[in-house]
Amino acid sequence: MNIPGFICETARGAGEIVRQHYGHVKTRRLKSDRGDFVTEVDLESESYIIKRIREEFPEDNIISEEAGRLRDIEEGYTWIIDPLDGTRNYAIGIPFFSVSIALTRDGRAEHGAVYDPIHDELFFASRGWGATMNGERIRVSTEPDLEDAVITVAWVRKKVERTQFMGYVEHLSHRTSYFRRLGSAALATAYVAAGRFDAFIQGGLNPWDVAAGIVLVEEAGGLATDLTGRPIDLTRPETDILAANPALHNRLLSEVIRRL
Ligand code: IPD
Ligand code: CA
Ligand code: CA
């Protein structure tokens, strides 16, 4: 099977597992931080995805949120998986969460899928081939003004300097009223790619939260970098992200992020 077909089918298959169990979560286990959950559905979705990759691409490396790094190879092909992004939403019945699967080559995301099983929206991109949602071409927004921008700013308590992100919100609150927060970082990047959100800023993320989203945003004509404006390094355990259309990306860096 070709890689795009494989990723899309696998994301939909995992999404179907997630959707079927929605509203029937049996066990929530706390991970490292207060409120950082894992459920049996995260694990079932992850087992399904890993099994499929092992069958089709047995040589490849896999990094997955719950299973960790399954083989230590920095070069070549690595699958980066978040089997359920937005577990807290999922566990409390807020219908915004996703499955995220990316394939990287030598550390760079080449293909990415983010699937929202409740709204049946599959966001997919391959480098050089553009970005789609359910097969239709998507583009980032053309909104150039912070005053009219729909922006999502998020951070993970304990992982970032909270005042830094509070500073962004405070600054932006003088310029826009259109704040949103989804609770799934992978879906938020997909929404930037689709032109729904004009910009997304978040700190304290892991590679599996953003790997697929990076290729989606870039192939939709946008920019997805860290908060210094450099490419996101997916080999590092933690990252932040600024994803936006090019005009707003530039303005957010120069007028907000670098000023605080
Ligand atoms: C979380 C979600 C959330 C973000 C957290 C992530 P999880 O992922 O993406 O929106 O704020 O940083 O850890 O734990 O639900 O896969
Ligand atoms: Ca996640
Ligand atoms: Ca997850």
Side-chain angles (χ1 to χ4, degrees):
M1 188 186 294
N2 66 29
I3 290 174
F6 173 81
I7 298 181
C8 290
E9 206 180 284
T10 305
R12 281 190 180 278
E16 187 51 25
I17 293 171
V18 168
R19 197 189 58 75
Q20 279 173 2
H21 293 288
Y22 184 48
H24 310 286
V25 170
K26 294 194 191 80
T27 52
R28 297 181 194 183
R29 186 164 51 77
L30 275 179
K31 293 200 291 184
S32 54
D33 193 4
R34 269 183 87 180
D36 189 10
F37 292 128
V38 59
T39 73
E40 75 277 7
V41 186
D42 298 67
L43 302 177
E44 191 178 333
S45 171
E46 182 171 72
S47 303
Y48 167 84
I49 297 167
I50 291 175
K51 181 166 179 286
R52 288 203 53 152
I53 294 171
R54 284 272 173 267
E55 283 164 6
E56 286 285 326
F57 305 100
E59 303 299 317
D60 292 358
N61 185 29
I62 301 173
I63 295 171
S64 187
E65 180 171 11
E66 314 305 339
R69 179 181 291 262
L70 298 191
R71 204 179 308 155
D72 210 10
I73 305 169
E74 291 299 342
E75 291 171 358
Y77 292 102
T78 300
W79 296 83
I80 302 184
I81 301 162
D82 193 335
L84 173 48
D85 184 58
T87 298
R88 193 177 181 100
N89 275 356
Y90 185 78
I92 61 178
I94 296 177
F96 287 90
F97 41 82
S98 59
V99 173
S100 178
I101 304 175
L103 178 60
T104 67
R105 185 179 186 181
D106 301 336
R108 186 177 190 229
E110 294 288 331
H111 306 271
V114 173
Y115 182 53
D116 168 351
I118 295 300
H119 304 94
D120 188 26
E121 292 188 328
L122 176 63
F123 301 87
F124 176 74
S126 288
R127 202 161 290 283
W129 292 91
T132 57
M133 197 271 283
N134 290 349
E136 299 288 326
R137 189 69 189 254
I138 51 172
R139 305 275 312 165
V140 292
S141 77
T142 53
E143 178 57 64
D145 295 320
L146 285 173
E147 285 67 19
D148 296 310
V150 177
I151 298 187
T152 175
V153 183
W155 61 91
V156 179
R157 197 172 55 92
K158 292 189 178 172
K159 285 196 184 171
V160 299
E161 184 51 62
R162 196 163 42 95
T163 51
Q164 176 190 350
F165 290 84
M166 303 282 282
Y168 301 153
V169 173
E170 211 279 325
H171 184 103
L172 286 165
S173 68
H174 296 283
R175 307 191 59 178
T176 180
S177 307
Y178 309 121
F179 289 103
R180 302 285 186 275
R181 190 166 168 180
L182 278 189
S184 163
L187 202 53
T189 46
Y191 275 28
V192 172
R196 294 175 181 171
F197 288 163
D198 298 304
F200 171 43
I201 300 171
Q202 178 154 8
L205 293 171
N206 300 110
W208 45 82
D209 298 312
V210 296
I214 293 169
V215 59
L216 275 168
V217 170
E218 291 178 350
E219 284 299 316
L223 296 171
T225 67
D226 66 19
L227 296 184
T228 69
R230 293 197 195 93
I232 290 170
D233 182 353
L234 291 172
T235 64
R236 295 181 59 157
E238 276 187 22
T239 186
D240 40 39
I241 188 169
L242 167 61
N245 71 51
L248 275 183
H249 187 278
N250 191 18
R251 295 190 67 177
L252 283 163
L253 269 183
S254 60
E255 295 174 28
V256 182
I257 294 169
R258 286 184 182 143
R259 281 182 184 270
L260 296 177

